[in-house]
């Protein structure tokens, strides 16, 4: 069985489901070039929990966890099957490293999960398990969480962190505008840091990256990057996708592939 890479994706606004743009096209192309996974384990900041959970439904529902968007969005479904056995396997791996996690038999897939996967695997044929993101945890904690699950790569599981490379919704206007300079500065710092494999700097981005607090007033949308990087192992390597795709002037849609051969 092929060793899978890991992936960080920026899921942007829910309208990404209907407006693929460069990011959607590159994710679709990526899915055609990597081995087809036997299952996907995905983290999204739209499932925040006090304690760590993994979805264990055999048929997770499509959650439309947003309001005020175009009506066609609410008609979309992503009927991928779940994989309770994978959820149990992940819980076992986490327990072996001292991380407690519990299954959730009713949780569906929120838009942070199903929207990007819809571009990669539009037939929804690959089973999906979602892992929650406990609040108030450090970048190092999420990196270690990914690292604990890294053995799943050898078992044909694609590990995905879905968030946003920049995410300042205070500046969201809903209109197409020129890219704010801080967005490019922050995105290029991340690209350079990943290119040289400086994990210490990555995990300390809040102090070291330019405009970090403006790019992420809260950091839950960047923690999936730490998760995906940790899951790839060391050294992770990094291939950047969708570098030029910025939505609404402030949502950078960069994606990264780690550990690809």
């Amino acid at each position: 069985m092929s060793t899978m890479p890991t992936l960080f994706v920026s899921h942007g606004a829910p309208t990404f489901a209907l407006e693929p743009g460069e990011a959607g096209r590159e994710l679709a192309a990526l899915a055609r070039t990597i081995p087809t996974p036997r299952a996907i384990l995905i983290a999204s900041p739209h499932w925040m929990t006090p304690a760590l959970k993994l979805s264990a439904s055999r048929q997770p529902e499509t959650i439309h966890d947003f309001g005020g968007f175009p009506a066609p969005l609410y008609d979309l479904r992503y009927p991928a099957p779940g994989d309770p056995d994978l959820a149990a396997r992940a819980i076992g791996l986490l327990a072996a490293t001292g991380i407690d996690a519990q299954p959730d038999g009713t949780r569906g897939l929120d838009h942070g999960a199903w929207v990007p996967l819809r571009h990669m695997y539009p037939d929804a044929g690959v089973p999906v398990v979602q892992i929650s993101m406990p609040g108030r945890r450090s970048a190092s904690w999420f990196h270690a969480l990914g690292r604990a699950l890294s053995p799943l790569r050898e078992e044909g599981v694609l590990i995905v962190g879905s968030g946003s490379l920049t995410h300042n919704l205070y500046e969201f206007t809903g209109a197409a505008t020129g890219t704010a300079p801080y967005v490019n500065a922050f995105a290029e710092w991340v690209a350079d840091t990943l290119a040289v494999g400086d994990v210490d700097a990555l995990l300390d981005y809040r102090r070291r990256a330019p405009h970090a607090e403006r790019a992420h007033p809260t950091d839950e949308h960047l923690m999936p990057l730490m998760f995906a990087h940790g899951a790839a192992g060391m050294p992770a390597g990094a291939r950047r996708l969708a570098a030029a795709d910025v939505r609404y002037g402030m949502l950078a849609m960069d994606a990264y592939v780690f550990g690809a051969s």
Side-chain angles (χ1 to χ4, degrees):
M1 185 174 291
S2 300
T3 300
M4 299 299 297
T6 70
L7 179 63
F8 167 74
V9 299
S10 294
H11 59 250
T15 47
F16 182 34
L18 299 174
E19 301 168 356
E22 178 188 353
R25 289 190 295 271
E26 294 209 20
L27 290 178
L30 174 67
R32 295 191 293 267
T33 61
I34 63 175
T36 300
R38 75 163 184 87
I40 296 166
L41 178 67
I42 188 166
S44 159
H46 296 284
W47 189 20
M48 302 289 289
T49 56
L52 190 61
K53 294 185 176 183
L54 288 99
S55 65
S57 169
R58 294 194 178 277
Q59 193 60 59
E61 67 174 324
T62 302
I63 303 174
H64 298 84
D65 53 332
F66 44 80
F69 287 92
L73 272 176
Y74 301 92
D75 295 328
L76 296 179
R77 297 292 183 273
Y78 192 75
D83 191 338
D85 291 339
L86 172 58
R89 169 71 172 138
I91 289 169
L93 286 172
L94 293 170
T97 63
I99 300 174
D100 182 60
Q102 299 296 323
D104 186 323
T106 62
R107 174 70 185 187
L109 303 176
D110 61 54
H111 80 274
W114 66 263
V115 168
L117 293 181
R118 185 171 180 269
H119 295 301
M120 296 185 71
Y121 303 104
D123 63 355
V126 180
V128 181
V129 169
Q130 186 166 345
I131 184 169
S132 74
M133 292 181 54
R136 301 183 182 278
R137 304 298 174 95
S138 67
S140 296
W141 188 90
F142 280 104
H143 200 265
L145 177 68
R147 191 163 59 247
L149 295 169
S150 184
L152 294 175
R153 297 176 58 218
E154 305 288 340
E155 302 169 20
V157 177
L158 178 63
I159 299 175
V160 182
S162 175
S164 189
L165 196 74
T166 58
H167 192 261
N168 187 340
L169 294 188
Y170 297 110
E171 299 184 9
F172 177 77
T173 65
T177 60
T179 299
Y182 81 88
V183 172
N184 287 333
F186 183 85
E188 292 307 315
W189 181 90
V190 171
D192 292 344
T193 300
L194 291 174
V196 299
D198 191 341
V199 179
D200 290 339
L202 179 68
L203 298 181
D204 194 26
Y205 88 95
R206 205 79 176 164
R207 290 195 311 118
R208 303 197 197 186
H211 312 291
E213 291 191 5
R214 187 174 178 189
H216 289 277
T218 58
D219 64 6
E220 73 286 341
H221 272 74
L222 197 64
M223 293 303 100
L225 173 63
M226 314 306 175
F227 171 74
H229 189 275
M234 304 282 282
R239 174 185 167 199
R240 188 182 185 186
L241 305 176
D245 194 341
V246 178
R247 309 288 172 100
Y248 311 109
M250 40 68 69
L251 283 177
M253 296 295 291
D254 300 48
Y256 281 94
V257 187
F258 301 114
S261 59

